[in-house]
Amino acid sequence: MRRKVSKLPPSLWRQTSQLVFLVFFLFLFVKTDYNGSDELTWAVNILFRIDPLLAVTAMAAGRTVIALMLPAVITLALTVLFGRFFCGWICPLGTLIDGSRRLVERGSAGRDRGGRRFKYYLLFFLLAASLFGLPLAGYLDPFSILVRGLTFAVHPALDHAATSFFTLTYQHGPAWLNIVTEPVYAVLKESVLPFAAKVYGLSVVSLLVLIAVLGLGFFGRRFFCRALCPLGASLALFSRHSLFRLTGGSPECAGCRQCRTVCRMAAIDDERNIAAAECILCLDCLPSCPKSLIHYGWGRGATRGQAVDLSRRAAIASLAAGMLSPLVLPSRLLARHADPQLIRPPGACAEEEFLGRCVRCGECMKVCIGNALHSTWLEAGLEGIFSPRLISRIGYCEFNCTLCGQVCPTGAIRRLNRQEKHATVIGRAYIDRNRCLPFADGVPCIVCEEHCPTPDKAIKFREAEVVNGRGETVRLLQPYIVGELCIGCGICENKCPLSGEAAVIVTSTGQSRESGELTIYG
């Protein structure tokens, strides 16, 4: 007698794919870090480059074709062919939303179909706003939300927890325990934990946004994907024309609504028609159908349940709001005078183009060796939140490092070779004589000059005779800045031994990205 072989549940294939891509995403995330070399061996930004939402909005804002983002066309082509598989089988944020549903969901919410139109109106608003000069897509893109939350909060927290634990065992544990814990910590430091402990601006905000996205499952399964995700909306517009899709709605269904109950995207209507635009191919409906009437295959001309039912008036209002929103930008104080403390990474485009291309992913901040790059708050306006800025008092731009340009997925930060990096000016330093020790207190100090990395030191000295704090006349060296040699790396401000505000301050004055001029040192 032949033994009947049981079939694997269709959803198991989807879960396996989700797990594989989540591990792949986390692998690339960990690899987005300094590894002892100035060259990254992995294309760590590849997932951002296949994101159609970021590609379209960045190109619209820059009014140019960004070659780095062209792989996003592959995602759209596969969506037209197979349907909205990206959301259900690949997206790591979608995987985490599915994984966290037992913690936040309040029951099977497959019945509620309300709210799913909003993501389309949001998409229209973002596209129009980007085209007319207000790039906001990076705030709601799922990849950007996830990477920011992990980079600014989760990964540093894990590093701090691991370091604290292993330090505790080393200092207070028995000798035999250290024989085990020390190799384990070495392996973790080599493979998972960041190269160096770092701090980040807006870390709490980024974590709360990520938690909020996961917590929205309280209002329904995949609520963020169903109602808010603009990337999902862009894929939905293409998947409604997909050649392969799930089909149902057979007259044999009778009064059964099992498929509609389990659908996490509320993509099945009362007549059991499946909207291809909303279906993420989770395949939960296949085993739920008692008569196996749901099939995935050629669309066979099915049209019922496929239309994206949008209000024309609301769609026009969304486009109009997106076009009109940028009109308020010239009325701000920033339109007259930019914040002098707003220093962008080396290789950054001119400010308007930079903000248009930057997708707020945080990759450049994660890979920065000196922990110099941090999230901008309102220093660059509403459209600049989460974009990178250099804060020299916290970290400095390593003279020989070009990693930020290597990880930028859109070219907002141009990839520089080492010679170009050495010649790129991101700001200029100046000395506050009211705080500098040789000027203010008559105390010798040469720390800033010692650390200046330029071949011909940008910080030099003049010998002077001053009266110190004890009333004694002394001769000492007082520093001064040679503007033509300073590149604004910020190491002088970072290493200044004063507590609080440094006596050497770097501003964005003279930056190469605005003048378009580079001076190559021989």
Side-chain angles (χ1 to χ4, degrees):
M1 181 176 180
R2 297 181 64 183
R3 188 174 180 179
K4 186 176 180 181
V5 180
S6 60
K7 278 186 172 183
L8 291 174
S11 59
L12 183 61
W13 295 103
R14 185 256 309 163
Q15 293 169 354
T16 301
S17 174
Q18 285 183 300
L19 180 60
V20 167
F21 279 101
L22 178 61
V23 171
F24 179 59
F25 164 79
L26 293 176
F27 173 79
L28 294 181
F29 176 81
V30 170
K31 289 296 181 181
T32 309
D33 200 357
Y34 178 64
N35 59 8
S37 170
D38 192 45
E39 291 290 330
L40 295 176
T41 55
W42 292 86
V44 294
N45 57 22
I46 186 62
L47 292 178
F48 285 98
R49 293 166 61 185
I50 63 172
D51 185 327
L53 172 68
L54 297 182
V56 172
T57 53
M59 292 183 193
R63 295 175 178 81
T64 186
V65 175
I66 302 175
L68 290 172
M69 302 295 287
L70 290 181
V73 175
I74 299 175
T75 303
L76 294 179
L78 293 176
T79 300
V80 172
L81 184 61
F82 297 112
R84 195 175 155 187
F85 74 98
F86 187 91
C87 300
W89 290 62
I90 294 179
C91 179
L93 183 58
T95 300
L96 293 179
I97 290 174
D98 285 341
S100 63
R101 70 183 183 87
R102 295 182 183 276
L103 299 176
V104 297
E105 287 182 7
R106 51 174 181 166
S108 58
R111 302 175 183 275
D112 183 16
R113 298 164 58 84
R116 68 187 193 185
R117 297 179 184 179
F118 184 76
K119 64 178 179 291
Y120 296 104
Y121 303 139
L122 186 59
L123 173 64
F124 299 153
F125 171 81
L126 293 176
L127 291 175
S130 295
L131 184 61
F132 286 85
L134 184 60
L136 302 174
Y139 300 154
L140 291 170
D141 178 79
F143 284 133
S144 297
I145 290 173
L146 180 56
V147 172
R148 283 198 305 266
L150 294 180
T151 296
F152 300 160
V154 178
H155 206 207
L158 290 177
D159 179 51
H160 178 71
T163 302
S164 299
F165 172 76
F166 286 106
T167 299
L168 182 66
T169 59
Y170 178 78
Q171 294 176 342
H172 304 287
W176 63 265
L177 182 60
N178 293 331
I179 298 176
V180 177
T181 57
E182 287 303 297
V184 171
Y185 179 71
V187 171
L188 290 176
K189 198 65 180 175
E190 182 69 25
S191 58
V192 178
L193 299 179
F195 176 80
K198 294 182 178 179
V199 296
Y200 294 99
L202 300 186
S203 57
V204 174
V205 174
S206 301
L207 180 62
L208 291 178
V209 170
L210 178 59
I211 292 175
V213 169
L214 300 178
L216 285 173
F218 177 80
F219 300 102
R221 294 188 68 181
R222 285 259 188 164
F223 185 86
F224 175 78
C225 311
R226 186 194 306 182
L228 296 175
C229 181
L231 172 59
S234 62
L235 295 175
L237 294 176
F238 284 85
S239 65
R240 65 188 295 259
H241 302 293
S242 60
L243 301 180
F244 292 87
R245 62 184 65 169
L246 280 172
T247 55
S250 170
E252 302 176 51
C253 289
C256 176
R257 295 187 176 182
Q258 291 297 318
C259 59
R260 187 169 182 266
T261 300
V262 301
C263 182
R264 65 189 64 202
M265 293 294 289
I268 305 176
D269 62 18
D270 292 334
E271 285 74 38
R272 279 73 69 192
N273 297 311
I274 302 174
E278 301 299 326
C279 175
I280 60 172
L281 301 176
C282 66
L283 305 182
D284 287 342
C285 56
L286 294 184
S288 72
C289 181
K291 297 183 180 180
S292 300
L293 298 176
I294 301 176
H295 304 280
Y296 178 75
W298 187 261
R300 296 189 297 276
T303 57
R304 289 194 302 167
Q306 305 302 327
V308 178
D309 184 19
L310 300 178
S311 163
R312 181 179 300 179
R313 185 174 299 175
I316 294 175
S318 301
L319 290 170
M323 290 186 291
L324 295 175
S325 295
L327 295 179
V328 302
L329 301 184
S331 64
R332 304 172 301 170
L333 296 177
L334 290 171
R336 290 285 181 89
H337 195 278
D339 188 338
Q341 299 298 315
L342 182 63
I343 304 172
R344 297 301 189 182
C349 302
E351 186 67 7
E352 184 177 353
E353 183 181 1
F354 175 78
L355 289 177
R357 285 179 176 242
C358 178
V359 295
R360 320 309 194 260
C361 63
E363 297 267 74
C364 57
M365 299 175 230
K366 184 177 190 301
V367 82
C368 180
I369 299 174
N371 197 195
L373 297 180
H374 299 272
S375 289
T376 301
W377 179 226
L378 293 173
E379 295 86 354
L382 179 64
E383 70 275 28
I385 299 175
F386 290 122
S387 61
R389 61 174 297 203
L390 186 140
I391 304 180
S392 302
R393 201 58 173 141
I394 297 176
Y396 62 91
C397 182
E398 171 60 45
F399 189 58
N400 291 315
C401 175
T402 64
L403 294 177
C404 58
Q406 295 180 43
V407 300
C408 183
T410 64
I413 304 174
R414 185 168 62 90
R415 182 168 183 169
L416 305 174
N417 59 41
R418 187 162 294 182
Q419 187 182 26
E420 290 174 327
K421 167 63 186 301
H422 291 172
T424 300
V425 177
I426 58 176
R428 302 284 192 198
Y430 73 91
I431 295 175
D432 183 353
R433 297 189 177 191
N434 292 320
R435 291 185 58 77
C436 183
L437 294 175
F439 289 96
D441 298 325
V443 176
C445 180
I446 60 172
V447 172
C448 56
E449 188 272 347
E450 286 182 323
H451 286 90
C452 182
T454 57
D456 185 4
K457 295 279 189 178
I459 299 178
K460 301 186 184 297
F461 293 110
R462 295 187 183 97
E463 189 173 7
E465 189 174 275
V466 298
V467 178
N468 63 21
R470 297 189 296 271
E472 303 168 342
T473 301
V474 297
R475 295 189 68 81
L476 46 65
L477 297 177
Q478 293 179 331
Y480 67 95
I481 308 292
V482 181
E484 294 76 13
L485 301 177
C486 179
I487 60 173
C489 68
I491 192 170
C492 53
E493 181 176 347
N494 181 257
K495 300 299 183 181
C496 179
L498 291 179
S499 60
E501 185 178 349
V504 188
I505 300 173
V506 180
T507 69
S508 58
T509 303
Q511 52 190 336
S512 300
R513 69 193 187 111
E514 298 296 348
S515 65
E517 298 177 359
L518 291 178
T519 303
I520 306 297
Y521 294 108

